[in-house]
Amino acid sequence: MTKEERKKKKKETKLLAKKALLDGGRPSFMISRSHPKLKLKDVRDLIVYLLTETPTLPWIMVKNKFNIHNVVVLYVSGLDPRFFNIDLADPESHKPVAWAEKAIAGPVTELQELRKFFDYMSVTQAGGDKQSIYSPTNTLLNVSLSNSERARRDAERKRASASAEKKTAEFHMLTLDELKDCDYPLPTYLSPGSELQEGWIETERPTSNLDGTPPPKKLLAMDCEMCRTSAGSELTRISVLDESGETIYDTLVIPDNPIVDYLTQYSGMTAERLEGVTTTLKVVQAELKKLVSYDNILVGHSLENDMKVLKFAHPFIIDTSKLYHHTRGPPYRASLKWLAQKWLSRSIQQGGANGHDSVEDAKTCLDLVKLKLEMGPLFGEFSQEQESIFARLDRHTTPKSSAMIDSFTFAGKAATTTIKPSSDLETVKAVQEAVATHSFVWARLRGMEINHGKVPEADATAGQLIGTGRDSAVPCSTKITASDEEIRKAARRMDAHIAQIVESLPVNTALLILSGQGDYREVSKMQQRQKNFQKLYNTLHLSQIPPEDHFLEADQVRLEEAIDQAKNGVCFLMVK
């Protein structure tokens, strides 16, 4: 910076300070019109900047920042630039837009309350590459470690590695809190006041005290395959292996209710394979009571799902999805297939359309546990470069309390408070209460997801396919196409919900409304075509594949264009 530039900067700073005195120190935002299109990480950095002492940001000026005591983020998926009649081909579209001037046609005209609170809107861009879009919520809710924190963690890891000793299997069992966090069914003796539900079994606890040190517990590896029935997820196969890796129980199971989806690509089950099977869940439970005792540790991968379909509660679990780290660190969990390849140099789940093999999966889990016991407790862990935004705020010089109000609370384990609402109305009420006692509040409103073809299960009508975000069993490309009136109705409801939240916010609260990304349906549809073509191309000559099933260079270009389009979301900023 030259001498003249420094003088000019100093003059501007004095002018802003003078204006601040005139308006009583009221905070406000001023977005630079010369900055390139906002990225979600820019918005994430703003959240951290508002609540901590990080350096100023190049794309926004925050006047009287230290008078902002609360930050509320509303994640409203289902909104996108097209909804607001924004033409992304316009070279000015990356600048703050006086959105109400363009909101003259379509469902956006229903947003009457939003006009009162926000003069401008900005287009945002989710991260990703030519082939994919990175999770917007992951970008928003995780921050890079500071240099000092990275150095502290590295030093701590070196100390732990120097003093690490091999542990017994008992050391790696999930604690009671971990069992609860992972939603494992608990035996009644671990949950005071609870009763064993009808149709459930639990491992019996010895009533008499044993003299001396009890013998080491024996490992039993277990894996189940499921199908979807009219009553939900039900068991179709169970495999149990002893500590030596020998299969001691392996049987197909006929569900109690009519099957609506065999989930063949995962379970390997078909109507032909289950034909003539008479073993029921009750028979399996009787066998489990013989095989599994209080002296056993059950080993499996995300075993809580298996325990639920078995209707079986056991107190001692080693879960390989928790035993080994995901490369992003907790709370993410690596797949068993990835763990096998990474740590055992083993390829599993290669059945393709024939699904998984529960004996193979159980054996893999057992071998992963044995490897961990051999190599030590730090084996299979990664040095992390990121941390949760909730953890970052909590370890600030002046710790900041936080609340996550979301139907997906997975990423909010480090938040001070997590609330799992069942509707947008519950979300509104939870935000109104949380903002009074938390510095940072994250909340998701889901009503506008209908604009991208998703509807909450409670709001579904006959014939509508249910979607629950990225983990939905229903592909985006086959979800509903909502009518204009359905979208207008959702917009009016969202508008009213945002107004209720704004009215309840304390003065000088920063409010950020984000949609994360745009409509993903076209991307999903084209990716499915690409996948189908690749499957055909692996077995047939190109001339044998029908032209309508081709996915060639021009299609790849269109897919990349669709991905680039779907990366665009919207952002509103204000200080009450």
Side-chain angles (χ1 to χ4, degrees):
M1 188 180 290
T2 65
K3 186 176 181 181
E4 287 301 317
E5 288 173 332
R6 284 197 298 272
K7 276 178 144 182
K8 185 178 179 182
K9 183 73 174 176
K10 190 174 181 180
K11 187 175 180 180
E12 288 175 350
T13 303
K14 284 183 176 180
L15 183 61
L16 285 172
K18 187 175 181 180
K19 287 182 178 179
L21 289 173
L22 293 174
D23 65 12
R26 175 164 168 69
S28 63
F29 295 136
M30 186 181 299
I31 300 176
S32 169
R33 294 186 61 81
S34 62
H35 192 76
K37 185 184 292 183
L38 280 183
K39 292 182 169 50
L40 286 183
K41 65 182 184 63
D42 295 327
V43 183
R44 185 262 330 271
D45 292 343
L46 173 63
I47 299 168
V48 177
Y49 171 67
L50 292 174
L51 293 170
T52 65
E53 283 82 43
T54 53
T56 56
L57 304 172
W59 62 275
I60 189 169
M61 180 177 292
V62 183
K63 189 166 67 171
N64 299 315
K65 166 198 161 181
F66 291 104
N67 286 340
I68 295 175
H69 302 296
N70 302 83
V71 176
V72 174
V73 174
L74 297 182
Y75 191 82
V76 187
S77 44
L79 299 178
D80 55 47
R82 184 170 54 183
F83 179 83
F84 290 92
N85 302 321
I86 304 299
D87 180 8
L88 293 174
D90 183 346
E92 300 286 301
S93 64
H94 71 281
K95 298 179 179 179
V97 178
W99 68 276
E101 295 176 5
K102 295 180 178 290
I104 56 176
V108 68
T109 57
E110 304 293 339
L111 304 182
Q112 297 301 313
E113 295 296 328
L114 210 64
R115 295 169 185 264
K116 301 175 184 177
F117 308 125
F118 299 97
D119 295 325
Y120 292 92
M121 179 200 77
S122 296
V123 174
T124 60
Q125 186 177 52
D129 52 33
K130 289 185 177 182
Q131 305 298 323
S132 63
I133 299 176
Y134 302 154
S135 165
T137 52
N138 181 52
T139 300
L140 290 164
L141 294 176
N142 289 281
V143 297
S144 298
L145 292 177
S146 64
N147 291 334
S148 59
E149 178 64 12
R150 187 180 292 110
R152 186 193 69 78
R153 292 190 181 195
D154 286 345
E156 186 178 87
R157 185 176 176 81
K158 287 177 182 177
R159 286 195 300 271
S161 180
S163 61
E165 298 178 359
K166 293 181 180 179
K167 304 292 184 180
T168 63
E170 283 90 338
F171 175 82
H172 296 290
M173 295 188 309
L174 296 179
T175 65
L176 179 57
D177 284 342
E178 288 172 329
L179 288 170
K180 291 178 180 177
D181 285 344
C182 295
D183 202 26
Y184 273 88
L186 297 178
T188 53
Y189 45 82
L190 292 183
S191 183
S194 65
E195 294 182 359
L196 195 63
Q197 298 178 47
E198 184 179 352
W200 280 69
I201 62 169
E202 65 181 15
T203 305
E204 293 184 7
R205 181 169 59 175
T207 54
S208 57
N209 293 324
L210 298 174
D211 295 330
T213 304
K217 295 185 183 299
K218 295 288 186 181
L219 301 177
L220 288 178
M222 185 172 75
D223 188 70
C224 296
E225 305 297 349
M226 301 93 160
C227 68
R228 188 176 293 121
T229 73
S230 58
S233 187
E234 291 195 51
L235 183 70
T236 54
R237 183 183 179 187
I238 177 174
S239 303
V240 183
L241 281 59
D242 65 16
E243 195 164 303
S244 68
E246 292 297 316
T247 303
I248 58 174
Y249 187 54
D250 182 29
T251 186
L252 298 178
V253 184
I254 190 70
D256 294 331
N257 297 284
I259 297 173
V260 296
D261 189 345
Y262 285 90
L263 302 177
T264 307
Q265 71 272 33
Y266 306 114
S267 69
M269 293 301 140
T270 61
E272 294 76 19
R273 194 171 180 190
L274 290 179
E275 187 176 355
V277 174
T278 58
T279 303
T280 63
L281 177 60
K282 284 188 178 180
V283 173
V284 171
Q285 288 178 327
E287 286 298 318
L288 287 174
K289 294 195 80 169
K290 298 175 188 176
L291 291 172
V292 184
S293 74
Y294 199 75
D295 294 324
N296 290 125
I297 300 172
L298 285 179
V299 172
H301 192 81
S302 295
L303 204 57
E304 71 271 20
N305 302 309
D306 304 61
M307 302 300 280
K308 288 172 186 175
V309 296
L310 290 168
K311 297 184 178 180
F312 178 31
H314 183 75
F316 307 123
I317 304 287
I318 294 179
D319 188 334
T320 50
S321 74
K322 300 285 285 183
L323 188 66
Y324 286 82
H325 281 187
H326 190 287
T327 51
R328 291 180 182 172
Y332 299 96
R333 301 198 206 182
S335 69
L336 182 61
K337 184 176 183 178
W338 187 89
L339 291 176
Q341 186 63 56
K342 173 69 176 176
W343 302 115
L344 300 175
S345 299
R346 181 185 303 173
S347 295
I348 65 168
Q349 299 174 358
Q350 300 296 305
N354 296 321
H356 302 177
D357 181 339
S358 52
V359 171
E360 177 184 62
D361 287 357
K363 179 69 164 56
T364 301
C365 291
L366 184 65
D367 290 343
L368 284 168
V369 171
K370 289 180 177 179
L371 182 63
K372 184 83 165 186
L373 293 173
E374 177 187 349
M375 302 301 293
L378 296 180
F379 180 76
E381 297 184 1
F382 294 95
S383 177
Q384 299 305 312
E385 296 298 317
Q386 287 190 322
E387 66 179 329
S388 160
I389 194 170
F390 302 108
R392 174 68 168 270
L393 296 175
D394 183 60
R395 66 175 183 78
H396 185 246
T397 309
T398 307
K400 308 289 185 179
S401 57
S402 57
M404 185 177 203
I405 304 163
D406 201 323
S407 51
F408 300 112
T409 55
F410 175 69
K413 291 186 180 294
T416 311
T417 304
T418 55
I419 300 170
K420 203 168 185 177
S422 59
S423 68
D424 280 359
L425 189 58
E426 285 188 15
T427 299
V428 172
K429 292 179 180 177
V431 171
Q432 291 172 329
E433 294 175 4
V435 74
T437 54
H438 298 81
S439 300
F440 174 54
V441 177
W442 163 283
R444 187 193 300 250
L445 293 174
R446 306 198 60 189
M448 279 306 299
E449 289 181 356
I450 194 171
N451 187 43
H452 289 172
K454 307 174 192 175
V455 288
E457 189 165 356
D459 295 341
T461 58
Q464 288 185 336
L465 298 173
I466 306 306
T468 53
R470 288 173 171 264
D471 299 325
S472 171
V474 183
C476 287
S477 57
T478 58
K479 291 179 183 175
I480 70 162
T481 300
S483 68
D484 181 76
E485 180 50 39
E486 285 178 311
I487 297 173
R488 285 178 178 274
K489 181 180 178 182
R492 289 192 294 270
R493 189 180 300 158
M494 180 204 70
D495 195 44
H497 287 157
I498 290 176
Q500 291 171 38
I501 288 172
V502 173
E503 288 164 6
S504 68
L505 297 179
V507 173
N508 289 354
T509 295
L511 174 63
L512 290 69
I513 299 178
L514 301 159
S515 67
Q517 66 179 52
D519 193 342
Y520 201 73
R521 280 176 293 185
E522 185 62 23
V523 173
S524 182
K525 184 178 178 180
M526 295 185 72
Q527 286 177 334
Q528 187 60 49
R529 275 191 58 215
Q530 183 185 44
K531 184 178 179 181
N532 291 341
F533 171 72
Q534 192 60 52
K535 190 182 295 184
L536 292 170
Y537 191 70
N538 287 339
T539 56
L540 300 173
H541 188 273
L542 182 61
S543 62
Q544 297 174 291
I545 301 174
E548 62 269 21
D549 291 331
H550 284 188
F551 195 90
L552 305 179
E553 187 175 345
D555 299 293
Q556 180 63 40
V557 171
R558 284 194 290 272
L559 172 58
E560 291 175 7
E561 289 173 348
I563 289 172
D564 196 52
Q565 183 83 8
K567 288 177 182 177
N568 293 289
V570 297
C571 171
F572 294 88
L573 306 175
M574 69 168 284
V575 179
K576 183 177 178 183

